[in-house]
Amino acid sequence: MKKISVTCERKEDIALLKEAGADEVIVALEGGVFSSLHTFSIAQIEELLTQAHLVQIQLFVLMNRLFPQSEIKHAQQELKQLLEIGIDGVIIADPGLYQVAKELSLEDKLIYSPETLVTSAEDAKFWLSTGMYSVNISPLLTEEEILKIASSVRHCGIQVFGYLLMSISKRPLLTAYQEVANIEEPLHHNHHLYLREQKRDGMMPAYENEAGMMIYTDFVQESFAWLEPFSNAGIQRFEMYGNYIPQDALLDAVRMYRRVLDGEDGESVRKEFVSKYPELPVSDGYYGQKTIR
């Protein structure tokens, strides 16, 4: 079954996402993510899990930080707690978390998603050979590269909508800039900050939390016309990230992606979405061109 997996930042949005056509919701773990998404404590996630199962949708937890030696034991304990409360799945980037799931015989609850790093079929095959449920292919590859991996490795996923996370630094760069530039407005946990290169008009969302600073693409990834070939090649999970996206646009995108997976023409649906939300800087990203290597 092809699944649409969508980020969720409010409890009341779970039912709305289910109604729109999502199969899974993704919530971010407090202190455990490289992301600008709103985060939840484990106690809150347990409540969200109950709500999700009431409306018959699966709930996955995003835990995509890389943890240093001083934090890995605590992170492993948090993963253990999540698995023990019956979470449907956890999206990880740090291999140091795998051993905990294996000890509980729950490695099939893990999705390996190191952002842009899975770029070959051999890489994806290795992680799936550990017993993990799925592996996410880098969304910065071309269509040809993605199809080659997907046709060789089953149970893969890929981010098909939303701003793509391009850069992560553990240094608090925004806070450092604030001090140098004598800016009074708080820059930490600020969702209204953007970077713009001198020779480009695009605005790149920039966000800083306790884990560091993140920079996103200046475009919103859209994949309407690519869903059919991706699906035919064997991709099982299509992830949609809603940070910095208006709620009505995100819900409409979920509905439209579901329509495409149900057989509608992707290009026609894409034109409908672009026409309805001309303010969103949508792009098919790097599907047709290689990134700088």
Side-chain angles (χ1 to χ4, degrees):
M1 177 183 176
K2 310 302 181 182
K3 295 185 177 181
I4 295 178
S5 189
V6 191
T7 57
C8 178
E9 300 190 75
R10 302 187 309 166
K11 181 179 180 179
E12 52 267 37
D13 289 346
I14 293 176
L16 295 176
L17 290 168
K18 168 66 176 180
E19 183 180 0
D23 302 290
E24 304 167 355
V25 290
I26 300 170
V27 296
L29 175 65
E30 184 177 69
V33 293
F34 285 137
S35 175
S36 67
L37 289 167
H38 175 74
T39 59
F40 299 91
S41 67
I42 292 179
Q44 291 171 324
I45 288 174
E46 190 167 11
E47 295 178 6
L48 296 173
L49 179 63
T50 299
Q51 177 65 22
H53 287 179
L54 280 175
V55 299
Q56 298 183 317
I57 192 170
Q58 291 189 311
L59 189 137
F60 283 63
V61 174
L62 182 66
M63 192 177 180
N64 69 337
R65 269 191 63 194
L66 298 177
F67 298 94
Q69 188 63 41
S70 60
E71 298 180 42
I72 188 63
K73 294 299 182 183
H74 177 69
Q76 290 173 330
Q77 183 59 36
E78 288 193 314
L79 175 60
K80 182 179 180 181
Q81 288 179 261
L82 289 170
L83 294 172
E84 288 178 339
I85 65 175
I87 207 74
D88 294 302
V90 184
I91 302 169
I92 68 167
D94 194 326
L97 298 174
Y98 169 76
Q99 190 62 33
V100 172
K102 184 177 181 181
E103 291 172 357
L104 296 172
S105 298
L106 292 174
E107 57 265 49
D108 61 344
K109 296 288 187 180
L110 299 183
I111 295 174
Y112 183 58
S113 183
E115 299 303 332
T116 62
L117 298 185
V118 175
T119 57
S120 72
E122 287 71 21
D123 193 1
K125 287 177 183 177
F126 170 78
W127 290 107
L128 285 175
S129 72
T130 66
M132 291 191 188
Y133 170 62
S134 184
V135 172
N136 281 349
I137 301 170
S138 169
L140 302 186
L141 301 180
T142 64
E143 176 198 21
E144 179 183 359
E145 293 168 322
I146 292 169
L147 293 177
K148 185 174 294 186
I149 296 173
S151 61
S152 302
V153 187
R154 297 298 172 177
H155 300 293
C156 282
I158 191 169
Q159 182 181 340
V160 292
F161 184 82
Y163 289 95
L164 304 179
L165 183 56
M166 292 287 288
S167 174
I168 302 169
S169 174
K170 294 196 70 174
R171 297 177 179 176
L173 300 178
L174 289 177
T175 298
Y177 174 72
Q178 179 181 21
E179 294 173 354
V180 171
N182 295 318
I183 297 174
E184 295 184 2
E185 179 184 2
L187 303 187
H188 200 62
H189 288 295
N190 188 323
H191 288 86
H192 305 285
L193 302 176
Y194 298 83
L195 298 178
R196 184 174 65 84
E197 296 180 356
Q198 287 186 339
K199 297 183 179 181
R200 298 176 64 178
D201 294 329
M203 305 293 283
M204 297 179 288
Y207 182 77
E208 180 185 289
N209 63 14
E210 292 77 12
M213 178 178 169
M214 290 133 268
I215 302 174
Y216 290 84
T217 54
D218 58 4
F219 63 85
V220 175
Q221 178 72 56
E222 63 85 6
S223 312
F224 291 102
W226 310 92
L227 286 190
E228 182 178 2
F230 287 173
S231 179
N232 291 340
I235 290 181
Q236 299 287 321
R237 297 181 64 258
F238 298 95
E239 291 189 352
M240 304 177 66
Y241 278 67
N243 33 338
Y244 301 105
I245 306 291
Q247 185 190 45
D248 57 345
L250 177 62
L251 291 172
D252 267 347
V254 176
R255 296 185 189 101
M256 293 183 186
Y257 272 64
R258 175 55 64 193
R259 285 164 49 191
V260 175
L261 288 179
D262 288 344
E264 287 195 39
D265 177 65
E267 182 59 28
S268 298
V269 176
R270 185 196 72 81
K271 291 179 180 178
E272 178 185 342
F273 182 83
V274 171
S275 176
K276 189 170 183 179
Y277 299 100
E279 72 282 2
L280 285 182
V282 296
S283 167
D284 62 359
Y286 300 100
Y287 293 155
Q289 61 180 341
K290 290 182 180 292
T291 56
I292 297 174
R293 298 178 185 275

